[in-house]
Amino acid sequence: MFSGLREKVGQVLVPGDEFSLEVQETLSLTEPLKPEKVLLGPGLKRRGDRKLLVVKSGVLRHKQPHVFWVENHQRRYVPAKGETIIGIITVKSGDVFKLDFGGSEQASLSYLAFEGATKRNRPNVQVGDLVFAQFIVANQHMEPELVCVDSAGESQWAWSIWSGGAAVQRLSGLVRRLLRPRSDVLSDLQKLFPCELVVGMNGRLWVKASSVQQTLIICNLLQSCETMTTAQRQQLFRRAAQGVL
Amino acid sequence: MSPRASFVQGDTSVMAAVYGPAEVKVSKEIYDRATLEVLIQPKVGLPSVRERSQEQCVRETCEASLLLSLHPRSSLTLVLQLIHDDGSRLACFLNAACMALMDAGLPMSCLFCGVTCAINADSEIITDPTAESRALMTFAIDSKEQRVMMSYTKGSFSVHELQQCIAVSQKASENIFQFYRDSVRRRYSKNL
């Protein structure tokens, strides 16, 4: 039924491309019917009963057994539930913080959504601090909400970052490459200097290495390698490791 | 870096940049869809009435092809800067706008392109005109069914001539859409 989609996996598509679902003309009476389903990711939308529409330009990707999506360079971050981001606290009012994460509106983060926080024991977070948090409400109709704890009330990482280090913005493409299971960018970076790296899916990174100079070198490397091919990037990292940069 | 596109058609050259989805002023916000604002800057001087009327043409075409309901209470700003004008200005604005919107990753239901058509003194129909003509028309054509999304006409012509111009523009739009596809393919070639 979805052979049309499968043929185009790995090809570049533009908005307006359509796929129609084939209808089986004859049904077998002896074999059992296998219902086929397809999970549509970003960039694909259902139009009517039997049509799929591509709404973003990019490369069509497929993950077994039945997930399809269009991979594209979205410049401006659009929040999605479950994604972790780095936000900057802009307002402290009443019982909530307001965070800027680079989207179309600011997200809210409750005082109580930190590990070990109670009404008397408020978290020590100020305006201008960086926070690493996860979306629990993120759709087009409602104001986005963030939390710094998971459903058990514990946080696996240090959810607030505030001492030292440097933050880098607008690296949406690089961030997705860093977060892949066996990321080559990450393994190349690990061979350079030891550093702490926090990756937010809104295209923001926070880096802290043992000295200010190393921190700045890593920031500059990450900013320049976003648009490079693998070979160019490995050459750049090799030069950095040799101490030329 | 904000998403931008530069479109050159003969000697006419336009640069477009898109900002958004971003915050919108409460007075301009629409509860169920994004607010699209188009700003056209001429080569010299301040924008005048002609730019305002061209902004409306571009804005209505973009609103018809963007899926604005996916970003309610947000603003999308499209800025078009004219670098050099040698005729077919509105068509060049439309083409640059479409490429910039694709570059921004905004969801669209179809692509669109602008084609300019003129009827000269000998009643011949020519596309991309640069000289004086009896009638001058610009059409915005969509990529799915080659329908006319917007038309802007000046001069005198018969109904039959109008239909011929539309047919010529629809044929010319295929080349522009193929150009869009090739540009996008080059852009993503590093990821393949």
Side-chain angles (χ1 to χ4, degrees), chain A residues 148-166:
Chain A
C148 286
V149 284
D150 60 17
S151 45
E154 295 158 2
S155 66
Q156 295 169 309
W157 307 268
W159 293 92
S160 304
I161 315 136
W162 57 78
S163 59

Side-chain angles (χ1 to χ4, degrees), chain A residues 205-224:
Chain A
L205 297 168
W206 179 83
V207 183
K208 185 175 178 183
S210 45
S211 74
V212 173
Q213 191 191 28
Q214 288 186 352
T215 308
L216 289 174
I217 290 176
I218 296 179
C219 283
N220 286 332
L221 284 177
L222 290 171
Q223 275 178 322
S224 27

Side-chain angles (χ1 to χ4, degrees), chain B residues 134-151:
Chain B
R134 168 161 58 91
L136 190 67
M137 314 180 199
T138 304
F139 299 109
I141 312 274
D142 90 311
S143 65
K144 274 166 68 178
E145 288 159 29
Q146 276 75 48
R147 291 172 311 174
V148 173
M149 293 171 86
M150 186 276 307
S151 81

